[in-house]
Amino acid sequence: MAYTKPTLSELITATKADLFGRFPELDPTIENSFAANVAEVISGGVSGNYGYLSYLLKQPFATSADDDFLDVLATDFGLTRASALKADGNVTFTGVIGSSVITGAELVGNTGAKYTVDLGFTLAAGSEDHAVTASTAGEDGNIAATGTLSFVSTPSGMDGTATVATGGLTGGTDRETDDELRARILFQRANPPKA
């Protein structure tokens, strides 16, 4: 038979009955008496304890554990949560031959995602491909080929925009969600490694 946690109202009623039963000299008919307020305070604390115990009882199980406990459960199966990764790839820069771009120069995409130049360069031709990396990890940093990036501060002699080269800016992934990690834990538990 399932256990039903008493409601706060039920706890207050039970605590008042116990308190006034133990101390018959107290008058339960006085509204907002000190004794009635004490009973409500005690009941609130007990209700909070019930809630915390209910929360704790869910944590040992992959199907109901929350974020931090889920990470602990994953380690029992040799798993770790997949971290977010930054997108990277080549971008075609254009400008006057001899113009330079420093390492870490910032560009921004149409979505507002920012990127930095991996290694500074000086244009030896009017158009060259160079590597950039998203400043922030996540899928938002992925951009298909022919997408456009704009310099935050355009270096002298360089065109203000650059085009994402063939292959695009890829590899950006978001941090693994609780549901994704939960699914991997449950799969690992259902399919243990066999020697």
Side-chain angles (χ1 to χ4, degrees):
M1 181 161 111
Y3 174 76
T4 304
K5 179 175 85 75
T7 66
L8 179 58
S9 296
E10 290 170 339
L11 286 170
I12 290 171
T13 300
T15 305
K16 282 183 178 178
D18 188 30
L19 185 64
F20 290 119
R22 289 173 188 256
F23 300 97
E25 63 276 9
L26 296 175
D27 184 355
T29 62
I30 299 174
E31 237 181 274
N32 291 322
S33 68
F34 178 74
N37 286 328
V38 168
E40 290 179 6
V41 169
I42 291 170
S43 300
V46 171
S47 180
N49 287 338
Y50 271 118
Y52 186 60
L53 286 172
S54 296
Y55 164 78
L56 287 179
L57 286 172
K58 294 178 181 178
Q59 302 318 307
F61 308 102
T63 54
S64 56
D66 74 1
D67 190 83
D68 292 333
F69 283 92
L70 204 55
D71 288 336
V72 173
L73 285 172
T75 61
D76 291 342
F77 293 95
L79 303 172
T80 55
R81 187 185 297 268
S83 300
L85 299 174
K86 295 179 179 182
D88 61 5
N90 287 328
V91 173
T92 304
F93 293 93
T94 56
V96 177
I97 294 173
S99 300
S100 296
V101 176
I102 62 170
T103 299
E106 279 193 317
L107 298 108
V108 63
N110 294 335
T111 63
K114 290 189 175 179
Y115 304 82
T116 56
V117 174
D118 291 353
L119 185 63
F121 60 91
T122 300
L123 283 180
S127 175
E128 295 178 3
D129 289 353
H130 292 279
V132 299
T133 301
S135 301
T136 306
E139 290 182 4
D140 289 347
N142 296 329
I143 298 181
T146 72
T148 302
L149 300 181
S150 302
F151 277 107
V152 171
S153 179
T154 307
S156 177
M158 296 295 297
D159 292 340
T161 59
T163 304
V164 177
T166 302
L169 301 178
T170 60
T173 59
D174 293 334
R175 177 178 184 262
E176 187 174 26
T177 66
D178 286 352
D179 287 340
E180 290 167 341
L181 180 57
R182 194 183 322 277
R184 287 201 301 134
I185 292 171
L186 294 172
F187 179 83
Q188 186 76 13
R189 188 170 67 191
N191 301 281
K194 295 177 177 58

